[in-house]
């Protein structure tokens, strides 16, 4: 009897605690995405491309780390640390499989404001310079990195707090035009900060409102102090970088290994500078001494956190917005999902933990992420492999970078910002799709270059919300109140077989950034629900559902679901008579619906001329078959005529 009771108790205990253990496992997988993809990693297929991508990424991380550390007004060696630790943390906690986290130009510019304000260059001459026990660096350099680390720490804490408050759901307020304008304006700031190195000039640190223009005023007033050697070397480096990168892009399908032109240029320029003694002979500025090794961790100074709170908020918001845009683009391109809140946690920890290792603020960079795309990276293993090579540089190769000319390093940075700078071409797209979005882009860009990236971002968000509130009071997505009436009219004209394969959905309100994502979700839910109710047989219902929603599987479909449906194609008609106005986000979502439903004929009825023009300009719509119709009945007639033609062709073949 006692044994039976014990057995019963043990069974009850296991029932009570097994779900709890499963919840813990699911929570760990959700908060540690590496536990999700690492066990499924295919060494045979993925290791080689990840290794090649990791080597190429390491070259970018080293060059950008050195340059962005100088941009952040700290010693170059701290940029190497900032390229190492954040990449490791993000690989564990981040969900973007093709996102390269590390030093970032925008966050470096923001943290430089705090560094120059609290530890100005003038204070170096007022204090007695003594070498500290940390890598033999001066007290002045350690004070500066302490401020940058404090900005990184507090910025990361703010991001983690936003994760706790689940503010990732508010990212729909960050529209594509605002993000594009902010990053383009920030890239313009970075190019401006590199002008002094490209020209070989001594330019004092200038910041604050309209500081962008004051820098160029100073340059033109002192144009005679430009060093011709630095200018020529900069122009030569930019030409070589642009030409080789364009050739790599054009012939990347024919050649298996892309030429690492950044690495070749660094080696060639450093060797030439060493052999000709350009530093002393021509007064060319070089990177200088870079100590080897990584110092023991040290907590950032907590007593200055209140003094850097403005910069910390800028780092938290700007870094997260730029990184999230890259993560979402990566997820869309390679068919997987990204949790906005989890990205807050990943980037927050990527700033908090590395701040104890003398790291400047970090975020994902467009140039490095694009590099992962072009070199065929598969997972975050590429970033982890790059960290191995960065460690080799820190412990062995770093002192050899002494002779690297600053003008060459600046050239690499400017060319690396090409992806952000060519976003100017988006202006034509916004003008043709929605002129209001074009105005928001221009005004956000102007505010960014006149003030700062965080100010431009805030202005863009507020301006977008104010315009939408002025255009309509509330955002509603879909309505199917007229669905039964439409189906009844169709049923009187056509046979039931055709009716079962047509879905008619009315869009009865404006489609803008506030409701664009919900529109997509609601649309797919309606399709799924209608399929379940209209098809009495489970196997047919599942087949049609898999056909309609195959694009939502994020690449995780099984073989059975990916097989084509034996029935003929289904059709989806969107009645746009109630779509009074739209913006760029709304048009992009409509085009995404059209492109994603590859196994479904998507037709649009009652479209205005502006809607047709915007959709044709935005997306590459199939020109062989009609997409836009004057009415729902015209769209249904087109479907019916196509069905009869297909039947006729089948009979003729027989």
């Amino acid at each position: 009897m006692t044994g039976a009771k014990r057995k019963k108790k043990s069974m009850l205990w296991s029932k009570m605690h097994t779900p709890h253990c499963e919840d813990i496992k699911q929570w760990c997988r959700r908060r540690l995405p590496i536990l999700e993809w690492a066990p499924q990693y295919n060494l045979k297929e993925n290791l080689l491309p990840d290794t090649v991508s990791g080597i190429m990424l390491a070259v970018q991380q080293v060059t950008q780390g050195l340059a962005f550390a100088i941009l952040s007004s700290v010693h170059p060696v701290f940029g190497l640390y900032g390229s190492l630790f954040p990449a490791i943390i993000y690989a564990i906690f981040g969900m973007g499989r093709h996102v390269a986290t590390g030093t970032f130009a925008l966050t470096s510019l923001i943290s430089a404001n705090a560094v120059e304000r609290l530890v100005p260059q003038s204070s170096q001459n007022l204090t007695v310079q003594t070498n500290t026990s940390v890598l033999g660096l001066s007290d002045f350099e350690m004070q500066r990195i302490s401020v940058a680390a404090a900005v990184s720490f507090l910025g990361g804490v703010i991001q983690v707090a936003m994760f706790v408050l689940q503010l990732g759901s508010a990212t729909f307020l960050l529209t594509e035009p605002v993000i594009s304008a902010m990053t383009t304006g920030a890239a313009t700031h970075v190019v401006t900060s590199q002008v002094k190195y490209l020209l070989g000039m001594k330019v004092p640190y200038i910041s604050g409102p309209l500081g962008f223009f004051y820098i160029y005023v100073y340059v033109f007033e002192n144009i005679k102090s430009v060093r011709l050697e630095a200018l020529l070397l900069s122009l030569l480096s930019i030409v070589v970088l642009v030409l080789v990168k364009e050739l790599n892009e054009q012939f990347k399908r024919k050649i298996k290994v892309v030429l690492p032109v950044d690495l070749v240029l660094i080696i060639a320029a450093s060797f030439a500078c060493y052999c000709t003694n350009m530093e002393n002979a021509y007064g060319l500025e070089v990177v200088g001494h870079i100590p080897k090794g990584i110092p023991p961790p040290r907590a950032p100074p907590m007593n200055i956190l209140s003094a850097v709170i403005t910069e910390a908020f800028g780092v938290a918001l700007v870094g997260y917005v730029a990184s999230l845009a890259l993560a979402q683009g990566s997820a869309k391109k390679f068919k997987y999902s990204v949790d906005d809140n989890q990205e807050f946690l990943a980037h927050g920890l990527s700033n908090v933990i590395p701040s104890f290792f003398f790291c400047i603020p970090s975020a994902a960079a467009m140039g490095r992420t694009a590099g992962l795309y072009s070199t065929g990276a598969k997972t975050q293993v590429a970033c982890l492999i790059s960290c191995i090579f960065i460690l080799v540089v820190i412990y062995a190769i770093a002192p050899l970078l002494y002779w690297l000319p600053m003008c060459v390093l600046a050239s690499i940075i400017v060319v690396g910002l090409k992806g952000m700078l060519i976003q100017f071409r988006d202006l034509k797209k916004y003008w043709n799709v929605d002129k209001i979005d074009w105005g928001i882009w221009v005004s956000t860009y102007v505010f960014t270059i006149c003030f700062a990236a965080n100010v431009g971002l805030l202005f863009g968000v507020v301006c977008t919300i104010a315009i939408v509130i002025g255009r309509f009071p509330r955002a509603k997505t879909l309505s199917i109140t007229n669905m039964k009436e439409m189906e009844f009219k169709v049923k009187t004209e056509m046979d039931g077989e055709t009716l079962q394969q047509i879905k008619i959905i009315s869009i009865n309100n404006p489609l803008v950034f506030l409701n664009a994502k919900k529109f997509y979700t609601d649309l797919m839910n309606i399709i799924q629900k209608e399929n379940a109710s209209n098809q009495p047989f489970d196997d047919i219902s599942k087949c049609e559902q898999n056909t309609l929603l195959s694009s939502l599987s994020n690449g995780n479909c099984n073989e059975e679901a990916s097989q084509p449906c034996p029935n003929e194609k289904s059709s989806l008609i969107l009645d746009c008579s109630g779509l009074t106005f739209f913006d760029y986000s709304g048009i992009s979502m409509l085009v995404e619906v059209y492109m994603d439903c590859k196994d479904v004929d998507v037709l649009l009825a009652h479209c205005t001329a502006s809607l047709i023009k915007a959709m044709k300009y935005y997306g590459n719509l199939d020109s062989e078959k009609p997409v836009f119709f004057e009415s729902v009945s015209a769209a249904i007639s087109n479907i019916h005529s196509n069905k009869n033609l297909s039947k006729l062709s089948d009979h003729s073949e027989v």
Side-chain angles (χ1 to χ4, degrees), residues 9 14 128 160 167 270 357 441 472 529 574 581 645:
K9 285 184 178 179
S14 62
V128 179
V160 173
L167 294 182
S270 300
F357 294 90
W441 196 103
F472 73 115
K529 183 178 178 181
L574 296 178
F581 67 88
L645 286 174

Side-chain angles (χ1 to χ4, degrees), residues 392-641:
V392 173
V393 171
I394 291 174
Y395 280 95
I397 305 176
L400 300 178
L401 297 173
Y402 178 98
W403 299 99
L404 176 62
M406 285 299 302
C407 60
V408 174
L409 190 60
S411 302
I412 294 174
I413 298 307
V414 170
V415 174
L417 293 171
K418 175 189 172 186
M420 290 185 180
L421 294 173
I422 62 175
Q423 291 179 133
F424 278 110
R425 297 186 303 188
D426 293 344
L427 282 171
K428 183 179 179 182
K429 178 173 61 177
Y430 296 131
W431 179 264
N432 284 278
V433 174
D434 184 26
K435 293 178 175 57
I436 292 179
D437 279 338
W438 181 89
I440 291 174
W441 196 103
V442 172
S443 57
T444 301
Y445 176 80
V446 170
F447 264 75
T448 300
I449 63 171
C450 289
F451 300 98
N454 50 347
V455 177
L457 178 65
L458 181 62
F459 170 81
V461 171
V462 172
C463 185
T464 304
I465 295 174
I467 290 174
V468 170
I469 291 175
R471 293 175 80 176
F472 73 115
R474 63 184 186 276
K476 188 179 177 183
T477 55
L478 294 176
S479 173
I480 53 172
T481 55
N482 298 326
M483 181 77 72
K484 298 300 179 183
E485 183 182 352
M486 288 184 180
E487 288 186 355
F488 178 78
K489 289 180 180 178
V490 175
K491 194 171 183 179
T492 59
E493 299 173 2
M494 298 184 182
D495 56 290
E497 182 185 357
T498 306
L499 173 61
Q500 285 186 355
Q501 295 182 9
I502 298 177
K503 299 291 178 291
I504 307 170
I505 296 175
S506 299
I507 307 175
N508 294 331
N509 283 97
L511 190 58
V512 294
F513 74 97
L514 289 173
N515 61 344
K517 289 183 180 179
K518 192 173 185 298
F519 162 79
Y520 184 92
T521 305
D522 287 355
L523 179 60
M524 293 305 175
N525 288 338
I526 288 174
I527 294 173
Q528 185 176 1
K529 183 178 178 181
E530 287 297 313
N531 286 338
S533 61
N534 289 341
Q535 293 289 349
F537 300 106
D538 291 339
D539 54 345
I540 298 177
S541 178
K542 289 178 182 177
C543 180
E544 187 176 2
Q545 177 180 332
N546 288 333
T547 303
L548 288 169
L549 301 179
S550 60
S551 62
L552 301 180
S553 58
N554 295 327
N556 296 323
C557 288
N558 52 28
E559 294 181 0
E560 183 179 356
S562 62
Q563 291 177 355
C565 180
N567 290 11
E568 50 188 89
K569 256 190 175 184
S570 300
S571 298
L572 171 66
I573 300 176
L574 296 178
D575 181 8
C576 302
S577 57
L579 185 56
T580 53
F581 67 88
F582 51 85
D583 66 359
Y584 181 84
S585 299
I587 290 297
S588 65
M589 202 57 66
L590 273 177
V591 174
E592 188 173 340
V593 168
Y594 178 85
M595 301 300 292
D596 284 355
C597 296
K598 295 180 180 178
D599 296 325
V600 179
D601 286 329
V602 180
L603 310 177
L604 285 81
H606 295 115
C607 299
T608 61
S610 59
L611 178 63
I612 296 173
K613 178 184 176 183
M615 288 194 65
K616 284 183 176 179
Y617 189 86
Y618 181 91
N620 296 321
L621 304 182
D622 191 356
S623 58
E624 295 181 358
K625 56 183 180 181
V627 178
F628 306 100
F629 296 89
E630 294 181 356
S631 63
V632 173
S633 59
I636 295 173
S637 299
N638 178 265
I639 295 170
H640 190 57
S641 60

Side-chain angles (χ1 to χ4, degrees), residues 239-506:
V239 170
V240 170
L241 287 168
V242 171
L243 286 177
V244 176
K245 286 180 182 290
E246 287 296 325
L247 291 174
N248 283 338
E249 188 66 24
Q250 290 185 7
F251 296 101
K252 64 180 180 181
R253 295 183 179 179
K254 296 182 180 180
I255 55 177
K256 295 183 179 180
V257 180
V258 178
L259 177 65
V261 61
D262 295 354
L263 178 62
V264 173
L265 183 62
I266 288 173
I267 295 173
S270 300
F271 183 75
C273 185
Y274 172 77
C275 293
T276 58
N277 195 19
M278 291 184 183
E279 182 184 16
N280 298 321
Y282 303 105
L284 209 63
E285 188 175 359
V286 297
V287 171
H289 173 65
I290 300 178
K292 291 192 298 184
I294 300 175
R298 178 189 297 179
M302 302 298 171
N303 59 330
I304 64 171
L305 293 183
S306 59
V308 299
I309 190 169
T310 303
E311 288 80 10
F313 266 105
V315 164
L317 295 177
V318 173
Y320 173 75
V321 168
S323 302
L324 181 64
L326 293 174
Q328 289 176 339
S330 169
K332 184 177 179 181
K333 183 179 180 68
F334 296 99
K335 303 297 181 184
Y336 60 88
S337 59
V338 169
D339 183 1
D340 297 349
N341 281 309
Q342 180 64 24
E343 290 298 292
F344 261 130
L345 177 64
H347 288 289
L349 295 178
S350 297
N351 276 312
V352 171
I353 298 175
S355 67
F356 289 81
F357 294 90
F358 306 96
C359 292
I360 60 179
S362 65
M366 181 181 289
R368 297 194 299 266
T369 302
L372 288 179
Y373 291 169
S374 62
T375 53
K378 302 297 183 182
T379 64
Q380 278 289 327
V381 171
C383 296
L384 295 176
I385 291 174
S386 73
C387 293
I388 297 174
F389 289 94
I390 294 172
L391 276 173
V392 173
V393 171
I394 291 174
Y395 280 95
I397 305 176
L400 300 178
L401 297 173
Y402 178 98
W403 299 99
L404 176 62
M406 285 299 302
C407 60
V408 174
L409 190 60
S411 302
I412 294 174
I413 298 307
V414 170
V415 174
L417 293 171
K418 175 189 172 186
M420 290 185 180
L421 294 173
I422 62 175
Q423 291 179 133
F424 278 110
R425 297 186 303 188
D426 293 344
L427 282 171
K428 183 179 179 182
K429 178 173 61 177
Y430 296 131
W431 179 264
N432 284 278
V433 174
D434 184 26
K435 293 178 175 57
I436 292 179
D437 279 338
W438 181 89
I440 291 174
W441 196 103
V442 172
S443 57
T444 301
Y445 176 80
V446 170
F447 264 75
T448 300
I449 63 171
C450 289
F451 300 98
N454 50 347
V455 177
L457 178 65
L458 181 62
F459 170 81
V461 171
V462 172
C463 185
T464 304
I465 295 174
I467 290 174
V468 170
I469 291 175
R471 293 175 80 176
F472 73 115
R474 63 184 186 276
K476 188 179 177 183
T477 55
L478 294 176
S479 173
I480 53 172
T481 55
N482 298 326
M483 181 77 72
K484 298 300 179 183
E485 183 182 352
M486 288 184 180
E487 288 186 355
F488 178 78
K489 289 180 180 178
V490 175
K491 194 171 183 179
T492 59
E493 299 173 2
M494 298 184 182
D495 56 290
E497 182 185 357
T498 306
L499 173 61
Q500 285 186 355
Q501 295 182 9
I502 298 177
K503 299 291 178 291
I504 307 170
I505 296 175
S506 299

Side-chain angles (χ1 to χ4, degrees), residues 77-86 135 291 293-295 357-359 394:
V77 71
F78 300 118
L80 297 178
Y81 305 154
S83 301
L84 173 66
F85 293 105
L135 301 175
I294 300 175
F357 294 90
F358 306 96
C359 292
I394 291 174

